[in-house]
Every structure is written in C-alpha cells, then in structure tokens.
Amino acid sequence: MARTGDPSIPRRCSAWLKRSPEAQYTRKGIFEKRNDRSRCPRGTGTHDPGKPAYVQGGVLRRVHLFEIHEQAWLPDSLRDVVTDILQWILNLTKTYAAVEPRLRAALKQSMASQIVDLCSGAGGPWLWMQERLAAQKTSVDVWLTDKYPNEISLRTIQKRTSRGLRYYLSPVEATRIPSDLEGFRTLFAAFHHFPPKEARALVQQAVEHREGIAIFEVPRRSIMTFVGCFLFPFGAFLAVPLMRPFRWSRLFWTYLIPLAPLILCFDGLVSCFRAYSLIELSEIAQIHAGQGYQWQFGEEQRGRFSFKVTYLIGLPETGTVPKQRYVFPDPQRQRLVDLPPA
C-alpha cells in the first residue's frame, strides 16, 4: 500500500503498479493471484478497491456469506448457547491478550473514560480485560451492546455493575448507535459481519462523533484459521459440561440436537471468508485522510502457535489537524508512510 513514488519500492515494482488493474490481477474461481508476484516484495503493491487484497502468492477473495447465528429466525436459546460457547473459549484462550497493550495505549492517548463495545455477544474479552486494564492504571467503564442481547450474560454481568461493566438492555445496531451511548468504540471479532458499505459507515460514524475506534479480528483468510474452525465442534462437546452457571439448553442444543457445534463450525468458516485483510482495512482508513484522525493497523500474535489478531485503530487528533499519517505493515518492520492529500 505504499505510493508509487516511495523510494523503497524497486523500479520493477513501480512498473507493475502502473499497469491497469486487469493486468495486475488474474482470478480463477474463488482464488486470486497477483501477476509477477515474484518480482515485488509483499506489501508494496496497491490494488483496486473493487478487488480483494492479495498476499504473496494466491489468496481467497472476500465473500460475504451469511452466518446462521445472525439470523432473526434462529431461536434465542440456541443463539445464546452458541455465543456462550464462544465466550467460554475466549476466556480460556485469551486470544485478545495480544492486543491489550495496544488498546491500553490507545485509551491513554485518547483519554477515554468510557467504552462502547459493539456486537458484544456474551461479553467478549471485556469480562477479563477490563480488570487487567485497571491493574495497569487504565480504568474505564464499559457498555456492552448487541443487536441480539444475550439475556443469560446480561443477568450475569448485572452483578458486576460495581466494576463498571454493564450490558445495554435494548438491541443496538452497530451502524446506528443510540445518542446516549458515548465513548471509545471497540469491536472484537465482529467487523467481518458488515459488508464494505456498512463497514465504512460504521467507521465514518465514529469519525463524525470524534470518538476513538478499535477493531480487532481473529478470523482471516488463512489455512490456520480455516483448520481451527473444524475444531469448534470438539471444543463445544468438551466445554459445555464445564460451563457455569449450568443451563439445560446447552445440553439440549449440544448433545441431544447438536446444532450448536454445527453452527459454530459453519459460522467460523464463513467468518474467515468474510474477514477483511490488512490492505482492505487500510483502504477504509484512507477514506478519512485529512479528517484529523491518526490510524494504525497491523497484526499481533501472543505466541508462535496462537492465532494472529488483526487490528485497525483510529484516534482523533487534538489541536490543529496535521498531515495525516498511517502505520503501514512492512515485511521487515513497521514504518510510517505519509499519504498524499485527500
């Protein structure tokens, strides 16, 4: 995503960048390859916004399929079981601990005292992350919201109100946030739910209200995450007996009629197909160049064998509006690249 005038781009790559989009890409089925990929290092090419992003070699293009647990016709009890199992796995693995330092730095920079978490499901990582942030002297109140609030989690979280963790009682559309909900906005494993137009509108709404926004995603179009989705059913069978408080509905939808494990597997695979790449996230950020926002995006990983977490963070700048800067991923290191005026 660097500019053609960037001196770090070899001349042979600049020649590739000057080609038409049709000459830069070839597509076969659901796969896409970048022509002359062996000549240009990863991350130095631009791509047509209407086309999916690439990585070195071939990549699955983004396909916006549907996820079962998002459908209004799904019984609430079954949806709650699915989100409860996902929550239990999140609490066990603490995958998003990899981005906790980056989120903590963003909250301090924006001086945010309240967070509005969108598409929270059963609570997401905030059930444990809020306490870890407080231990690092970054205390914030958190509002959890969802289009389909999880009633079981709502009752559990209501007992934690003294610690500043609350579940918004009414359904909340992430692209139409009620006026009484103000604060730094976060999304964990939820941004892929939105098609490009709605994803841009979600970010635009945060920019218009001058609120910070942080998007974190584990789903990605990679072999590791696709394989991991097939482990969800086994995880569900093992997790349900250990989950507290005990619920008969979990046994019913997991063992008697095992729809919950199947939905977890199916929706997990669909989430990977719908995930946005780093380059696609950078294009969403680039739309808001010159609007007084500082953007960062990249990947974090807790350990060698853990899943990578993709992030996009936008922070309103204070005082005058300087030339917009973005943090672009680089194969060797992360470097700052100035963008041309919007």
Side-chain angles (χ1 to χ4, degrees), residues 30-323:
I30 61 174
F31 289 94
E32 178 180 83
K33 288 188 177 182
R34 178 168 65 86
N35 294 337
D36 296 337
R37 61 185 180 277
S38 60
R39 297 185 180 182
C40 299
R42 180 181 177 182
T44 61
T46 60
H47 83 285
D48 183 3
K51 291 179 176 289
Y54 66 85
V55 294
Q56 193 83 353
V59 66
L60 285 170
R61 62 189 178 95
R62 186 179 186 276
V63 183
H64 197 83
L65 305 173
F66 73 94
E67 294 186 36
I68 297 175
H69 83 279
E70 297 177 351
Q71 307 307 309
W73 47 261
L74 193 71
D76 290 340
S77 61
L78 177 53
R79 181 184 293 106
D80 288 348
V81 170
V82 172
T83 56
D84 284 345
I85 295 173
L86 282 173
Q87 182 62 51
W88 190 89
I89 295 174
L90 276 177
N91 291 340
L92 178 67
T93 60
K94 289 185 169 54
T95 304
Y96 289 103
V99 294
E100 179 195 339
R102 195 169 291 277
L103 176 60
R104 184 171 63 249
L107 292 173
K108 287 183 178 179
Q109 183 176 340
S110 63
M111 296 181 291
S113 59
Q114 180 166 289
I115 288 175
V116 178
D117 187 63
L118 305 172
C119 306
S120 303
W126 283 115
L127 299 182
W128 55 266
M129 186 178 288
Q130 187 194 31
E131 296 178 357
R132 292 179 61 162
L133 289 175
Q136 298 292 331
K137 300 181 180 180
T138 308
S139 298
V140 289
D141 294 332
V142 180
W143 276 106
L144 304 176
T145 69
D146 201 273
K147 184 177 180 179
Y148 304 105
N150 187 317
E151 295 184 3
I152 297 175
S153 295
L154 190 152
R155 289 193 292 268
T156 302
I157 292 171
Q158 280 179 336
K159 301 176 182 178
R160 297 188 174 195
T161 53
S162 60
R163 286 186 278 179
L165 188 65
R166 301 176 178 85
Y167 210 123
Y168 199 75
L169 299 178
S170 303
V172 174
E173 288 273 4
T175 54
R176 289 187 288 272
I177 301 175
S179 57
D180 59 329
L181 283 176
E182 297 181 352
F184 191 102
R185 302 176 184 186
T186 59
L187 292 95
F188 290 89
F191 196 63
H192 63 272
H193 293 170
F194 304 95
K197 184 177 180 180
E198 293 184 7
R200 290 191 292 268
L202 191 154
V203 176
Q204 178 64 38
Q205 188 184 55
V207 171
E208 290 175 351
H209 289 79
R210 308 300 296 171
E211 301 284 6
I213 184 170
I215 297 165
F216 303 105
E217 290 278 276
V218 170
R220 53 192 289 124
R221 303 194 294 272
S222 69
I223 295 176
M224 184 177 179
T225 50
F226 278 112
V227 172
C229 293
F230 289 102
L231 301 178
F232 273 135
F234 302 100
F237 291 134
L238 296 174
V240 166
L242 304 176
M243 296 172 65
R244 295 294 181 272
F246 175 82
R247 303 288 178 187
W248 285 107
S249 59
R250 294 178 186 146
L251 297 180
F252 180 82
W253 292 115
T254 304
Y255 301 110
L256 188 59
I257 303 179
L259 289 180
L262 294 176
I263 291 175
L264 282 167
C265 182
F266 178 85
D267 283 3
L269 292 171
V270 170
S271 296
C272 293
F273 275 107
R274 298 166 82 177
Y276 289 94
S277 69
L278 282 177
I279 295 179
E280 289 163 336
L281 290 176
S282 75
E283 290 174 349
I284 293 175
Q286 188 171 354
I287 294 174
H288 306 289
Q291 297 186 24
Y293 260 70
Q294 182 184 22
W295 296 94
Q296 300 176 3
F297 60 93
E299 296 173 339
E300 295 284 359
Q301 190 172 16
R302 191 180 182 187
R304 178 176 296 182
F305 300 105
S306 62
F307 289 105
K308 291 181 179 179
V309 181
T310 305
Y311 65 86
L312 172 66
I313 299 175
L315 302 174
E317 296 177 340
T318 57
T320 58
V321 181
K323 186 177 181 181

Side-chain angles (χ1 to χ4, degrees), residues 9-23:
I9 300 179
R11 291 184 178 179
R12 59 180 178 271
C13 296
S14 298
W16 178 84
L17 291 170
K18 294 177 182 178
R19 299 180 183 180
S20 65
E22 291 75 16

Side-chain angles (χ1 to χ4, degrees), residues 3 286-291 322-326 337-342:
R3 294 175 293 163
Q286 188 171 354
I287 294 174
H288 306 289
Q291 297 186 24
K323 186 177 181 181
Q324 191 70 16
R325 306 186 83 198
Y326 296 85
V337 179
D338 290 324
L339 290 179

